[in-house]
Each structure stands twice: as C-alpha cells, then as structure tokens.
C-alpha cells in the first residue's frame, strides 16, 4: 500500500525489469524522471501497466517509453491496481482511500467504495470478476493494522475475513478462486515480521506458507498456479519501505521453502506490490530503484 506520490531521489533511477522462470532478467526501461511502480501485465501480453506521478501508464514489453492512460474523474493514484479478468478494464486505488474502475483505454473512472470511514487498498479481483479483495485501514489511521476485506466488484456491502489481529496486506485470489494469498503479521509477536499465508475465501483453512527470518510480502501466483513471486525484506524491517536492499524471489507453489531464483536489488515499496505475471506464466515484471554512486569519490 502507499498513500503519497513518490519521486526519485537525486542520482536515483527507476528500472523496469522482466524476469523469466528460467532465472534470466532483462532491463526493459530505465529513467531518472518519473518514479514508476507496481507493474501489471496486460491480458494480451503486449504491455505492462504501471503507476507513476499519480497517473496510470502503459509500457510496451518490446521497448519504448511509457504512455499515459487518459483517466478522468479519479484522484491521484497509488500503487494498488489490478486488471479485471476481461483484460479491458482495471480496478484502481486512489489517494482519497477509495477503489475505482476504469477502462484500460482511458476515460471516466467509476468509484466503487462508499464513505464508510475506512481507506480501501485494492489488491485482488476474483477470477470471475465479481469480487474484490482489499485491505481496510480504519479512518486512515496507519498506526492500526489493516484488515482483510472483500466487496462486490460493483460496490455495496463489505465483508471482513478473519486472519487474526496482525497487520495484513496484498490479498490476492488464487487462479481457481478458492484461496486468498497474502502477507500477515498474525503468526508472530515481532513488530513488522510479515510472513506469507493463505486463507480460503470462506474464511477457513488459514495457514502459513513459509516460516522465515526475513520479512516477506506480496505473494503473487502465476496464472497457471505453478509459480509464485514475492518480495523479501531484511529481518527486522517494519512495513514495506522504499530504498533498501531487498530480494525478488521465485518459488514453485509446491515448495515455498526453496527459492528457484532470487534477484537482489535496491527497492522495496513499488517493486512488486501487485501481480505482474505474464498471461502465459513464463515471465513477470518488477521495478528497481538504484542510486548511482558516480558522485561518490
């Protein structure tokens, strides 16, 4: 989750990378201008969708520069955005604490959530497109833990899914729609020690996927359900801050304990907040934010 427009530091770059399940990684785009975050992959496989400077952008996976999606009727965006299953529209979280729906081609956005006293941070849409999973923050008080919530994709009543008292984030539906995958602090008393977990959509079967000494966030399953990516913060990290050494990790969903590949980078917030898998489950995207040391003599 994020609630402010981020910008690059002096001598800092934003790098958009595409990684493969075979362990390769390719730099797609680099800039010292706009700080782009949280790539999604379009359903037709042609482009990435990112936020940056409070706006939405597309970036062709064969190269080029980001192109702004001309949205209207929506405040500045944060880095929580998810494509609808139809591939033609997407759901977006904005900095007013609400969730919106808009066409990927641009145009007017429609607000989904009501003024219920909470901030709503979107992370998942069910495979049938009928339900959204989000993190609710009471009264926008970020000192309080976020709760796992669901709402119909066309709005209405919200429902809470009980995952304990610890902060949770990143709830995302499994490809078969039976599970919500997330990170949660419910398994520990150590401040900020997020771990990967899942729970069935009916609220049963809450289980930890991986027990680790690191702080693990944002599990994203590939469309075929065989792989997952997540971001690993250093032990002792509280929240999911920006600008520190982290790892992007690839695992098989049959064995979360043994990484298939790991990509160390400088980043964190914005690197892998939302599902960025290609529709063929072969590649996924992430963002790094290195700071040049060329001025350091």
């Amino acid at each position: 989750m994020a609630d402010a427009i981020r910008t690059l530091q002096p001598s800092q770059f934003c790098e958009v990378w595409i990684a493969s399940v075979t362990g390769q990684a390719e730099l797609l785009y680099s800039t010292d201008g706009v700080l782009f975050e949280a790539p999604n992959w379009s359903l037709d496989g042609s482009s990435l969708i990112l936020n940056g400077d409070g706006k939405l952008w597309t970036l062709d996976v064969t190269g080029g520069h980001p192109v702004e999606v001309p949205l209207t009727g929506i405040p500045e965006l944060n880095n929580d955005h998810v494509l609808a299953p139809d591939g033609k529209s997407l759901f977006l979280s904005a900095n007013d604490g609400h969730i919106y729906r808009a066409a990927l081609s641009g145009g007017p956005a429609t607000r989904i959530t009501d003024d219920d006293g909470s901030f709503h941070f979107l992370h998942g849409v069910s495979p049938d497109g009928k339900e959204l999973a989000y993190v609710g923050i009471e009264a926008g008080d970020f000192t309080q833990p976020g709760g796992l919530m669901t709402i119909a994709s066309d709005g209405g009543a919200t429902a809470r899914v009980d995952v304990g008292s610890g902060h949770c984030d990143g709830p995302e539906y499994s490809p078969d729609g039976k599970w919500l995958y997330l990170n949660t602090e419910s398994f520990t008393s150590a401040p900020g020690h997020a771990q990967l977990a899942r729970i069935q959509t009916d609220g049963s079967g809450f289980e930890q996927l991986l027990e680790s000494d690191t702080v693990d966030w944002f599990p994203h399953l590939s469309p075929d359900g065989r792989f997952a990516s997540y971001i690993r913060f250093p032990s002792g990290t509280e929240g999911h801050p920006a600008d520190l050494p982290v790892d992007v990790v690839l695992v098989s969903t049959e064995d979360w304990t043994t990484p298939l590949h790991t990509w160390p980078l400088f980043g964190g917030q914005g690197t892998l907040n939302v599902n960025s898998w290609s529709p063929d489950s072969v590649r996924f995207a992430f963002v790094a934010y290195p700071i040049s040391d060329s001025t350091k003599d």
Side-chain angles (χ1 to χ4, degrees):
M1 298 181 301
D3 63 340
I5 302 302
R6 297 176 55 220
T7 57
L8 294 169
Q9 300 181 42
S11 301
Q12 188 171 32
F13 288 82
C14 169
E15 296 181 345
V16 182
W17 289 80
I18 292 180
S20 168
V21 295
T22 60
Q24 299 171 314
E26 175 186 2
L27 178 61
L28 175 64
Y29 178 75
S30 178
T31 179
D32 61 357
V34 176
L35 189 154
F36 294 101
E37 301 180 284
N40 306 121
W41 206 301
S42 66
L43 188 60
D44 65 6
S46 68
S47 61
L48 302 179
I49 298 99
L50 309 100
N51 64 282
D53 196 28
K55 304 168 185 176
L56 195 71
W57 309 77
T58 59
L59 175 62
D60 195 303
V61 297
T62 62
H65 295 273
V67 177
E68 183 183 346
V69 177
L71 299 176
T72 60
I74 187 170
E76 292 180 326
L77 304 178
N78 60 37
N79 56 27
D80 299 323
H81 39 81
V82 183
L83 263 72
D86 64 10
K88 299 177 181 179
S89 57
L90 71 166
F91 299 95
L92 311 123
S93 286
N95 282 345
D96 62 351
H98 285 292
I99 298 172
Y100 293 77
R101 182 170 187 157
L104 187 54
S105 58
T110 301
R111 199 177 92 177
I112 293 171
T113 48
D114 294 328
D115 290 319
D116 58 7
S118 294
F119 273 43
H120 315 78
F121 293 93
L122 171 75
H123 277 276
V125 54
S126 60
D128 62 7
K130 294 182 179 180
E131 188 175 82
L132 306 178
Y134 70 94
V135 175
I137 303 287
E138 293 282 347
D141 180 1
F142 292 93
T143 66
Q144 300 300 313
L148 174 54
M149 308 292 295
T150 61
I151 186 174
S153 59
D154 57 358
T158 63
R160 187 180 185 95
V161 182
D162 185 10
V163 290
S165 59
H167 178 71
C168 72
D169 210 337
E172 188 172 297
Y173 292 85
S174 59
D176 62 10
K178 296 179 180 179
W179 294 88
L180 285 165
Y181 284 73
L182 68 154
N183 56 269
T184 175
E185 297 172 24
S186 294
F187 299 110
T188 178
S189 59
H193 191 64
Q195 298 280 273
L196 305 182
R198 68 176 185 172
I199 188 170
Q200 293 188 45
T201 52
D202 64 4
S204 64
F206 186 38
E207 62 181 357
Q208 187 171 354
L209 296 169
L210 169 67
E211 185 175 350
S212 74
D213 294 330
T214 53
V215 175
D216 304 333
W217 281 71
F218 299 137
H220 304 307
L221 269 63
S222 59
D224 64 7
R226 295 178 56 205
F227 300 102
S229 60
Y230 69 94
I231 183 169
R232 187 167 65 191
F233 290 84
S235 178
T237 304
E238 295 189 31
H240 55 308
D243 299 338
L244 74 169
V246 297
D247 296 313
V248 170
V249 183
L250 174 72
V251 296
S252 164
T253 51
E254 296 295 320
D255 180 10
W256 289 76
T257 64
T258 307
L260 298 175
H261 301 287
T262 303
W263 294 270
L265 57 90
F266 192 74
Q269 178 68 271
T271 292
L272 200 72
N273 290 56
V274 294
N275 192 301
S276 61
W277 279 95
S278 62
D280 60 6
S281 300
V282 173
R283 298 182 291 171
F284 66 95
F286 60 83
V287 188
Y289 305 99
I291 297 177
S292 172
D293 59 2
S294 61
T295 60
K296 300 175 182 178
D297 298 322

